[in-house]
Amino acid sequence: MADAIAAARLVISGRVQAVWYRAWTVETATRLGLRGWVRNREDGSVEAMLIGPPGMVDQMAQHCLTGPPKARVTGIDRTPAEDDGSQGFAQRPTV
């Protein structure tokens, strides 16, 4: 099914704040044609909503395991999500 859309919520832990992780996520997800958002969380993790073709969502989730050069990802919690109607890919405020 060519028009299939997947959505996943990721919570990325490790050294992922103050290392350009959110901007990198916006840039990489946009390049892959995904919709959604990314934000810092007060607990030091980064949360992302990825929406798009299943293969691209999976590819972005794999990229998130590494992140930008200064990041040190120690884990990703991935859960299925619903398409929240996001347009484009944006950086959101910390929660």
Side-chain angles (χ1 to χ4, degrees):
M1 184 169 173
D3 295 325
I5 296 294
R9 179 179 167 270
L10 307 181
V11 177
I12 303 115
S13 55
R15 187 173 60 157
V16 292
Q17 291 190 12
V19 293
W20 200 61
Y21 203 99
R22 289 175 299 160
W24 171 88
T25 302
V26 170
E27 181 180 286
T28 305
T30 300
R31 189 177 72 246
L32 293 174
L34 297 176
R35 297 182 290 117
W37 47 264
V38 62
R39 63 186 172 194
N40 281 343
R41 293 168 37 124
E42 289 186 359
D43 67 3
S45 65
V46 169
E47 180 180 15
M49 171 70 75
L50 309 176
I51 306 163
M56 292 294 104
V57 170
D58 290 343
Q59 188 174 340
M60 183 64 195
Q62 282 297 117
H63 287 313
C64 286
L65 287 168
T66 304
K70 292 184 180 180
R72 295 295 173 263
V73 176
T74 58
I76 293 182
D77 180 23
R78 178 179 176 171
T79 55
E82 295 292 322
D83 184 340
D84 67 1
S86 292
Q87 299 299 308
F89 204 94
Q91 189 169 306
R92 290 192 173 175
T94 299
V95 294

